[in-house]
Amino acid sequence: MIIVKMNATTVECSIAASELHEIGLTPEAVIEGAENTTSFFAQLNREVGAQLDYDPETEVMMMSKNMMMDGSVRIFAVKMSNEDIQKATDRIRGAADTILKMLTQEKVDEIKAKTGKEKGVALNEVITNVTDTINRIYGKDDFDPSAMEQATTSYQPLSEYARYMMEFDNFDEVKRFAKVVQKLPIVDSSLYKYEDRYYLIAGLMSANESIIYDMRRAGVEYSQMLTVNAPEAMVVEEHGESLIADDAVVHLADLAR
């Protein structure tokens, strides 16, 4: 998750679809605010709140969610004080009055009375004016490119815990892998045999990119297949034969010595 602090009150978060899939979510679930996204948004609120020095007692956090063409999700978070709320409502009230004046029944009747090309031109003019007014409500015309100079970018993993499953052809390969990763912060691990193949399921607890890289590199190098937070692990756990139920990496690494 890439977090860009635009200014003192606004943060932009970009999350790739692949990152969401790794923690068992989909872009659609995030956009719709599905029930299983509760912990994701709780973490996001903490990250954004820390960036903006947000005080939940006196301020409001507003978020807008958008799904991009590549499946990634972009979230804008804006911190609003009482003064900001008053300014925003005053602007909306003023814009609403303007729109009502633009869309009087008399104006609509004038458009309906026109014919041919003139009808389309008149309707387009009204729609354009209304759209411009709405844009001003959200401050889209007030964007200052120089504000980007204030922006600061950071990267935060979506979760410190990730569940890895590696597939192996034989028991010796499992032992070699365990010996390589035994010093990584693996907090739980189990070994299963399913359809003549071995599956090691291990939970890694770390937000350190180099540690995550070491785990994934070892999986790619020593196993036949590596998956992260994949639903296939549930099939192996349910139907496979449990060989080592707890601390499998520790026991396997001992056997490899």
Side-chain angles (χ1 to χ4, degrees):
M1 176 168 63
I2 298 174
I3 300 176
V4 180
K5 184 176 180 182
M6 310 296 291
N7 51 48
T9 60
T10 307
V11 162
E12 175 190 353
C13 304
S14 298
I15 310 106
S18 58
E19 287 187 274
L20 291 172
H21 290 150
E22 286 190 1
I23 60 170
L25 299 178
T26 63
E28 292 79 9
V30 172
I31 294 295
E32 295 168 6
E35 186 176 348
N36 63 339
T37 62
T38 301
S39 60
F40 164 77
F41 279 108
Q43 179 184 345
L44 181 64
N45 285 333
R46 288 193 296 270
E47 297 289 350
V48 170
Q51 290 278 344
L52 296 179
D53 194 24
Y54 168 61
D55 182 357
E57 294 297 322
T58 60
E59 297 170 323
V60 174
M61 186 76 73
M62 303 293 291
M63 287 190 179
S64 64
K65 300 171 286 187
N66 302 279
M67 187 157 66
M68 313 309 290
M69 292 292 291
D70 62 358
S72 63
V73 174
R74 183 173 297 171
I75 298 175
F76 284 94
V78 179
K79 179 182 75 171
M80 299 182 70
S81 64
N82 285 341
E83 183 180 357
D84 296 324
I85 293 171
Q86 186 64 57
K87 288 180 179 178
T89 53
D90 287 345
R91 184 164 54 182
I92 292 172
R93 189 182 296 112
D97 289 340
T98 301
I99 291 172
L100 286 174
K101 291 175 182 177
M102 290 178 184
L103 294 179
T104 61
Q105 188 58 48
E106 182 181 355
K107 185 66 175 178
V108 174
D109 290 340
E110 286 181 12
I111 296 173
K112 290 161 61 179
K114 294 182 183 296
T115 58
K117 184 178 179 180
E118 289 185 356
K119 184 191 293 283
V121 171
L123 178 60
N124 184 66
E125 181 181 354
V126 170
I127 292 174
T128 299
N129 290 337
V130 170
T131 301
D132 289 343
T133 301
I134 292 173
N135 284 341
R136 284 195 294 274
I137 294 176
Y138 294 100
K140 293 181 180 178
D141 293 339
D142 299 330
F143 176 70
D144 180 6
S146 65
M148 288 296 294
E149 297 175 2
Q150 306 175 37
T152 56
T153 304
S154 61
Y155 173 79
Q156 294 290 339
L158 293 183
S159 174
E160 292 188 357
Y161 178 85
R163 204 158 181 254
Y164 293 78
M165 182 174 75
M166 283 65 58
E167 178 185 307
F168 301 89
D169 286 334
N170 56 66
F171 192 65
D172 288 336
E173 289 180 350
V174 188
K175 290 190 293 184
R176 282 197 296 270
F177 173 81
K179 188 173 182 179
V180 171
V181 302
Q182 62 180 316
K183 294 185 178 179
L184 297 181
I186 294 173
V187 295
D188 56 75
S189 57
S190 304
L191 179 65
Y192 295 85
K193 190 174 184 180
Y194 179 62
E195 295 184 349
D196 297 325
R197 301 183 74 81
Y198 294 88
Y199 294 87
L200 180 64
I201 299 175
L204 183 74
M205 180 70 79
S206 179
N208 187 300
E209 291 184 51
S210 64
I211 290 176
I212 294 171
Y213 173 77
D214 287 342
M215 181 69 173
R216 297 190 180 190
R217 182 183 61 180
V220 171
E221 184 175 351
Y222 291 93
S223 72
Q224 304 302 311
M225 179 188 71
L226 176 144
T227 60
V228 184
N229 296 326
E232 290 86 348
M234 297 176 63
V235 176
V236 172
E237 290 175 315
E238 184 174 349
H239 300 287
E241 177 188 358
S242 176
L243 301 180
I244 305 177
D246 300 304
D247 298 324
V249 168
V250 175
H251 298 307
L252 290 164
D254 288 338
L255 291 174
R257 290 170 185 168

